[in-house]
Amino acid sequence: MSSQPPHSGYHWDGITPRFFEGWYFRVMIPQLADGFAFMYSIQDPRGGQVNSGGAVQILAIESNYLCRTFPDTDQFWGSRQELAIIHWGKTNLKIRPRLLSPSDFFESIREGYQATAHQQQGRIYDPVTGEICQWDYRIETRYTWGDNKRPPQATAGILSYLPIFDPGWQILTAHGLATGMITYRGKNYQFENVPFYSEKNWGYSFPEKWFWINCNAFPENPDLTLTAVGSTRKVLHWTESVGIIGIHWQNRFYKFDIWNSQLTWTVQPWGYWEMRATNEDYTIVLIGISDHPPDRVRVPTEKGLCFACQDTLKGKLSIKLADSRGKTIINASSGLAGLEIGGIWLSAWIKR
């Protein structure tokens, strides 16, 4: 893939006092039937605000969770042209943050991270155990977002280039392969060509309510990747509910959204996700189930980084895609799906 998708660059205008941007990178290790999700964020980057600062969160193997905050916004840097972000927490360097060579990074940065579309590196420590968590892996992108015969697309469409939606959302790598190592809680996990996924959000705060379904680790279909979302979002002065389903498979892209399909869903406050979509050409049914208690992670809110999101890396997911004649195109399942709900959930969310 020669070009990066739209919105890969950092969005802050350098002036606005209230703003956040967050990045999500996930490495699944099928041999362990588990994985790692790395979440980086920066909030109110102009500094001087109550919630100004950055953070690294790791949702790790066996539902372990680790969070470290980096309050100095001057130690954050992001490229406006491409995916390249840096936050130094502890370092002896007396220079402005910049991308370092892979070897220089670990020699110079005691805590922090640097991330590009091709490589991820970072190191933080667990203040409870004193153990170091360190990661260093390379990425080969297979699918960004959209048909591989065309340049990568904006996930939220052409209107995402205008400042009318909040928050913004972009899938960076719908499917990639990661090779490298992660050291966590005294164990060294080495891996080669395992499933990798990444996305980002930006704006003023996360939605009031959302759910997310994602998987690119299907044992019988290693080329298959799916991402689906239902969300409320602010559009100028009102709020609307939106949904989207995207599948990449065998160099084809299947997309269902509120503009081209009839979308319905039933999602419980935890444990059950069901989405259905139909258009002139295809019908799709997704069912996600989690038998595990949710793992809680933090997301940017108007009150700062708060526990307002519930996740699992080991959800069960089934996909059935058929054409208009009823012929099955995809019938796949996995036990390594990412399932999530966030925001305020008082009861099931049913959209008909």
Side-chain angles (χ1 to χ4, degrees), residues 205-219:
S205 66
F206 261 55
E208 295 176 359
K209 186 177 185 179
W210 75 92
F211 66 86
W212 175 81
I213 304 168
N214 173 266
C215 188
N216 63 337
F218 293 90

Side-chain angles (χ1 to χ4, degrees), residues 191-332:
F191 46 89
E192 183 175 359
N193 292 333
V194 299
F196 171 83
Y197 170 87
S198 65
E199 66 175 41
K200 65 182 295 188
N201 300 86
W202 66 94
Y204 298 97
S205 66
F206 261 55
E208 295 176 359
K209 186 177 185 179
W210 75 92
F211 66 86
W212 175 81
I213 304 168
N214 173 266
C215 188
N216 63 337
F218 293 90
E220 306 300 323
N221 298 274
D223 183 60
L224 175 63
T225 180
L226 171 136
T227 303
V229 166
S231 172
T232 61
R233 69 178 177 189
K234 294 178 182 177
V235 185
L236 298 178
H237 302 296
W238 70 91
T239 298
E240 65 176 7
S241 295
V242 293
I244 188 170
I245 300 171
I247 291 178
H248 296 82
W249 186 62
Q250 296 184 346
N251 289 319
R252 293 198 61 181
F253 180 54
Y254 304 87
K255 185 174 75 168
F256 304 81
D257 57 32
I258 59 174
W259 296 280
N260 72 5
S261 308
Q262 291 181 321
L263 271 169
T264 65
W265 60 70
T266 299
V267 180
Q268 297 292 337
W270 184 255
Y272 186 80
W273 295 251
E274 179 183 323
M275 288 190 82
R276 297 173 182 264
T278 301
N279 59 28
E280 294 181 356
D281 301 311
Y282 305 103
T283 296
I284 188 168
V285 179
L286 312 177
I287 296 179
I289 297 172
S290 176
D291 299 327
H292 304 278
D295 300 312
R296 299 172 67 222
V297 300
R298 295 172 170 92
V299 294
T301 73
E302 293 181 357
K303 297 181 180 179
L305 208 58
C306 298
F307 281 113
C309 183
Q310 300 183 83
D311 256 292
T312 181
L313 296 177
K314 298 193 292 184
K316 300 175 183 177
L317 177 66
S318 66
I319 301 174
K320 292 184 179 179
L321 175 69
D323 65 19
S324 58
R325 296 169 296 178
K327 180 182 178 181
T328 298
I329 300 172
I330 298 173
N331 187 355

Side-chain angles (χ1 to χ4, degrees), residues 1 6 35 48 60 64 69 79 91 101 128 146 154 166 172-173 239 281 285 288 298 311 314 344 347:
M1 191 66 61
N64 286 300
T69 57
S79 167
T91 177
S101 71
V128 176
D166 187 59
L172 300 170
T173 305
T239 298
D281 301 311
V285 179
R298 295 172 170 92
D311 256 292
K314 298 193 292 184
I344 301 171
S347 60

Side-chain angles (χ1 to χ4, degrees), residues 8-306:
S8 291
Y10 182 42
H11 283 78
W12 185 49
D13 60 11
I15 301 172
T16 306
R18 300 305 312 273
F19 179 82
F20 86 90
E21 197 147 343
W23 298 261
Y24 176 94
F25 304 98
R26 188 185 66 230
V27 174
M28 296 304 296
I29 306 177
Q31 300 91 324
L32 302 176
D34 215 330
F36 293 83
F38 299 88
M39 292 155 275
Y40 311 144
S41 60
I42 186 73
Q43 193 159 6
D44 298 347
R46 196 170 75 176
Q49 305 289 318
V50 173
N51 300 317
S52 291
V56 175
Q57 300 179 74
I58 301 174
L59 183 56
I61 275 180
E62 299 177 352
S63 294
N64 286 300
Y65 173 79
L66 178 60
C67 178
R68 293 291 288 163
T69 57
F70 300 152
D72 189 350
T73 57
D74 289 338
Q75 292 291 81
F76 176 88
W77 176 85
S79 167
R80 298 184 184 277
Q81 287 73 45
E82 61 184 353
L83 175 59
I85 52 173
I86 301 161
H87 207 154
W88 294 348
K90 292 183 178 180
T91 177
N92 293 324
L93 294 176
K94 305 299 183 183
I95 59 175
R96 298 284 296 175
R98 61 177 177 84
L99 284 172
L100 302 174
S101 71
S103 58
D104 286 347
F105 176 84
F106 287 115
E107 289 181 2
S108 304
I109 308 302
R110 288 180 289 168
E111 272 201 291
Y113 66 83
Q114 62 180 25
T116 70
H118 310 291
Q119 186 152 15
Q120 306 274 323
Q121 291 181 284
R123 175 191 283 149
I124 58 176
Y125 80 94
D126 186 335
V128 176
T129 65
E131 294 175 337
I132 298 294
C133 177
Q134 184 168 301
W135 57 100
D136 184 2
Y137 56 88
R138 302 179 306 280
I139 302 140
E140 177 188 344
T141 298
R142 293 295 178 90
Y143 297 117
T144 54
W145 183 255
D147 190 329
N148 268 3
K149 297 178 182 178
R150 297 190 295 166
Q153 299 175 22
T155 306
I158 193 169
L159 292 179
S160 66
Y161 294 94
L162 303 175
I164 61 176
F165 296 142
D166 187 59
W169 178 53
Q170 178 68 43
I171 292 176
L172 300 170
T173 305
H175 182 50
L177 299 175
T179 298
M181 57 76 66
I182 298 169
T183 301
Y184 191 84
R185 296 203 166 178
K187 294 184 179 180
N188 186 30
Y189 301 91
Q190 295 188 341
F191 46 89
E192 183 175 359
N193 292 333
V194 299
F196 171 83
Y197 170 87
S198 65
E199 66 175 41
K200 65 182 295 188
N201 300 86
W202 66 94
Y204 298 97
S205 66
F206 261 55
E208 295 176 359
K209 186 177 185 179
W210 75 92
F211 66 86
W212 175 81
I213 304 168
N214 173 266
C215 188
N216 63 337
F218 293 90
E220 306 300 323
N221 298 274
D223 183 60
L224 175 63
T225 180
L226 171 136
T227 303
V229 166
S231 172
T232 61
R233 69 178 177 189
K234 294 178 182 177
V235 185
L236 298 178
H237 302 296
W238 70 91
T239 298
E240 65 176 7
S241 295
V242 293
I244 188 170
I245 300 171
I247 291 178
H248 296 82
W249 186 62
Q250 296 184 346
N251 289 319
R252 293 198 61 181
F253 180 54
Y254 304 87
K255 185 174 75 168
F256 304 81
D257 57 32
I258 59 174
W259 296 280
N260 72 5
S261 308
Q262 291 181 321
L263 271 169
T264 65
W265 60 70
T266 299
V267 180
Q268 297 292 337
W270 184 255
Y272 186 80
W273 295 251
E274 179 183 323
M275 288 190 82
R276 297 173 182 264
T278 301
N279 59 28
E280 294 181 356
D281 301 311
Y282 305 103
T283 296
I284 188 168
V285 179
L286 312 177
I287 296 179
I289 297 172
S290 176
D291 299 327
H292 304 278
D295 300 312
R296 299 172 67 222
V297 300
R298 295 172 170 92
V299 294
T301 73
E302 293 181 357
K303 297 181 180 179
L305 208 58
C306 298

